[in-house]
Amino acid sequence: MISVKNIYKNFKDVSVLRGVSCNINNGERVVIIGPSGSGKSTLLRCMNLLEEPTYGEVWLDGKLVTPPDPYLHSDVIKTSKTYDRLANENPNASPEEIVKKIKDEDLLGKREGKAYKAALKKIDDENGIDINLARQKMGMVFQHFNLFNNLTVMENLMLAPVQLKLKTKEEAEAKATELLHRIGLYDKKDEYPSRLSGGQKQRIAIIRALAMDPDAILFDEPTSALDPEMVGEVLDLIRQLANEGMTMVIVTHEMGFAKEVGTRIIFVDEGHIKEEAPPAEFFANPKDERLKEFLSKVL
Amino acid sequence: MNAWQLFYRQFFELEGYRNVLIGLKNTAVIAVIGLMIGMVIGCLLATTKIVPKKNKLIGFLSGATSVYVSIFRGTPMVVQLLLIHFVLLPALGIHIPLLMEAVLAFGLNSGAYVSEIMRGGILSVDGGQTEAGRALGLTYGKTMIKVVLPQAIKNVVPTLGNEFIALLKETSVVSFITIVDLTKSFQNIANSTYEYIVPYVVLALIYLVLVLIVTSIIKLIERRLRASDKR
């Protein structure tokens, strides 16, 4: 469903992600763990383009969300001026060798000619999807909740579905009412976020994502900013969604929760995926040295 | 006749008050419309600074905004007024009423300040608000209008109020291009009686009262806006 292909992310001089690829299948609950600064949140944020990957592509349901990355398309590289130049300079090299050299040494520049531009545009035209459309299908829950401070709880839940014309006002309100009842916060519908506790805010942030009827939800450390006694109520809600079969990607530090809810655990360190396995195997038989060290510290 | 009687005669019997009313009206018109123009210009300029830099046009507009702001903040209001009245408008062959010239000058000047105020206000809104809007699939524009700007405006009301008060008082320089404002009207009274204490003290009091009125209106607006977030 979500497919991440060879993503690199650089912030100025710091490279946070260095070639990450992974697939999230329908109904999977993938938990991403790793030391702080390892790039796990960045990976999650690249999935819905809150961070634009420096290189690489993100696909959602077979649609290209990022601009096409020429390095992932050998036939595009072959239309570039750089390729022509190298082919002239090394008449004995095979096309594959030249393409490999260009990929390895990051040789493509900004001006690579019309054919190259057209080839990229063709890929985009055939596969591209508007990012705002993609985001409607991928809910996101933030560490710091990010409820809209100027809107009441009810307005928070209704804003996007109504503005995007996915629902009429009545439909959106009905859905929001149902969701609020579900988490037992219907009596807070007219409150502003500043009057809610952290746990309440986060649960409302989760149903705000649900109000869009998303195909998947991305959780970015959903319990890290909560007081300890509120972590439980938020995890309970996420657990419920998991049991209902919602596709999820969760970045978290809650190892017990990861083991319980995840169908697959990904360990990210130094911008790479170092290990990837179902929870039982992941925690019982870690193979990567860094992961062993990490688990010995957090478990 | 003592100072007070002289003032009384000039103000009421010789109908100096008519002049003062005209001056008061001019002062109010320049300050209020000037601020309105300033808000429009300021919001537009601030937008060029806030929009994530994507293309050359935005980059150019953002640069132009910087130049604009530097010029209007870097030179005295009087100088700008004189340049517009004696250089710019004649050079362009534009003839508009004097009062409009002043309104234009104050609007342009105020725009520079308001743009910085608005920029600060928008930046003061937590970036997570924009991210949350975008992550739901709302466009940048929609997120701005529905989420960020309402919070930004609430944050800038006190500062905008300050700007308006500064503007109100600074209108006294329009007499440089022969507009009769509040200050000029009292200056006229003082000059015709050679008696300065009473007219200038009264003038100062009028400005003071005006500013106090404006201050309480701002407070009212602030309270209104605060009421909506029940903090």
Side-chain angles (χ1 to χ4, degrees), chain B residues 47-65:
Chain B
T47 313
T48 69
K49 285 281 173 185
I50 297 296
V51 173
K53 290 195 178 62
K54 273 275 158 74
N55 55 34
K56 281 181 183 164
L57 178 69
I58 302 277
F60 170 78
L61 288 176
S62 152
T65 297

Side-chain angles (χ1 to χ4, degrees), chain B residues 65-124:
Chain B
T65 297
S66 300
V67 172
Y68 180 97
V69 172
S70 315
I71 290 175
F72 279 92
R73 287 205 307 189
T75 55
M77 184 66 235
V78 198
V79 178
Q80 292 163 23
L81 190 67
L82 293 174
L83 279 172
I84 285 172
H85 178 68
F86 288 108
V87 181
L88 189 66
L89 292 182
L92 296 173
I94 298 172
H95 297 282
I96 52 174
L98 270 180
L99 194 60
M100 285 302 109
E101 287 185 16
V103 165
L104 180 69
F106 275 84
L108 291 174
N109 176 276
S110 178
Y113 287 91
V114 173
S115 82
E116 286 295 290
I117 294 172
M118 289 306 295
R119 193 172 70 91
I122 292 169
L123 289 179
S124 75

Side-chain angles (χ1 to χ4, degrees), chain A residues 12 107 137 142 144-145 157 159 165 182 214 258 271 281:
Chain A
K12 301 256 164 64
L107 293 176
K137 299 182 183 172
F142 298 88
H144 295 286
F145 331 127
L157 298 173
L159 179 73
K165 303 204 165 63
R182 171 178 180 170
E281 187 191 333

Side-chain angles (χ1 to χ4, degrees), chain B residues 129-194:
Chain B
Q129 299 283 308
T130 316
E131 285 192 349
R134 298 307 312 274
L136 284 165
L138 296 170
T139 59
Y140 179 79
K142 272 258 160 67
T143 309
M144 270 307 199
I145 291 167
K146 292 287 174 182
V147 177
V148 178
L149 283 180
Q151 296 181 50
I153 287 170
K154 186 161 62 191
N155 293 345
V156 300
V157 165
T159 332
L160 271 183
N162 262 344
E163 165 65 13
F164 181 64
I165 289 171
L167 202 64
L168 181 72
K169 292 186 294 183
E170 204 161 17
T171 50
S172 54
V173 301
V174 293
S175 60
F176 274 81
I177 59 167
T178 70
I179 295 176
V180 176
D181 75 315
L182 197 58
T183 304
K184 185 68 186 171
S185 65
F186 276 91
Q187 222 170 10
N188 289 343
I189 293 177
N191 287 342
S192 31
T193 57
Y194 299 108

Side-chain angles (χ1 to χ4, degrees), chain B residues 193-207:
Chain B
T193 57
Y194 299 108
E195 172 45 62
Y196 301 100
I197 298 174
V198 181
Y200 285 153
V201 169
V202 171
L203 172 62
L205 287 176
I206 291 179
Y207 272 116

